[in-house]
Amino acid sequence: MTAHRGWHLPAASALVSTAALLVAVVLPAASRGAPFVPFPSQDSLRQVQLAALACARENTSETCNQARKLGDPLMDHPRLPANCKDLIWQMLAKAQPAATNSFSRRQAITDPAERLLLVCRSSEKPEATDTPAAKPAGGGGINFGGGQR
């Protein structure tokens, strides 16, 4: 009599679970039914940047509240990279009115705000809407070595 050691899945169910794991890892989220969330536009990122710079400059509750209001939703954005969210976090952590608007406070807000548009760029290539028109043969340019006479 042989002793049963450990728990073993039958070969067929092990194959099915492995295949399911591969499908979950390999297929993109869009094909699994997850909604597509567009990358934030440069204009919306620019609005966050301008609000943070206004908070640093003016040191008022209205400007700092506006910076936090615009920046908070971006912290949960699924397409923004971590280094972009780190910059937004640095800005929002300091975007509060202070008793004195010191140089170090302003710099703590303006440094990440100035780098925001550079770091938070989409790495996707835009889709080409038009294909470049082909050049007509034989017209214009310098033709060394031949051509029509």
Side-chain angles (χ1 to χ4, degrees):
M1 181 181 249
T2 58
H4 185 24
R5 295 183 186 176
W7 181 71
H8 297 289
L9 287 175
S13 94
L15 182 62
V16 169
S17 65
T18 304
L21 179 65
L22 284 174
V23 167
V25 171
V26 173
L27 287 180
S31 67
R32 291 188 301 232
F36 176 75
V37 178
F39 199 86
S41 68
Q42 288 288 47
D43 185 47
S44 64
L45 294 171
R46 178 73 174 152
Q47 294 303 316
V48 174
Q49 181 187 42
L50 291 175
L53 292 172
C55 172
R57 180 182 57 248
E58 297 172 17
N59 192 24
T60 63
S61 62
E62 302 102 38
T63 57
C64 293
N65 287 339
Q66 180 69 14
R68 286 195 306 275
K69 178 180 152 192
L70 293 174
D72 277 337
L74 294 176
M75 293 301 297
D76 295 326
H77 199 284
R79 306 245 348 250
L80 283 179
N83 56 356
C84 178
K85 289 182 181 183
D86 287 344
L87 286 176
I88 296 169
W89 178 263
Q90 290 172 11
M91 286 187 314
L92 297 182
K94 297 292 182 177
Q96 298 175 9
T100 59
N101 197 11
S102 66
F103 178 76
S104 61
R105 177 197 171 272
R106 288 191 309 267
Q107 284 302 108
I109 298 172
T110 58
D111 284 346
E114 289 172 350
R115 294 190 329 238
L116 186 69
L117 294 179
L118 296 173
V119 173
C120 299
R121 289 192 176 180
S122 174
S123 60
E124 297 175 351
K125 293 181 180 176
E127 294 181 12
T129 56
D130 292 344
T131 57
K135 287 185 177 180
I142 299 175
N143 285 332
F144 292 112
Q148 296 176 352
R149 289 189 192 205

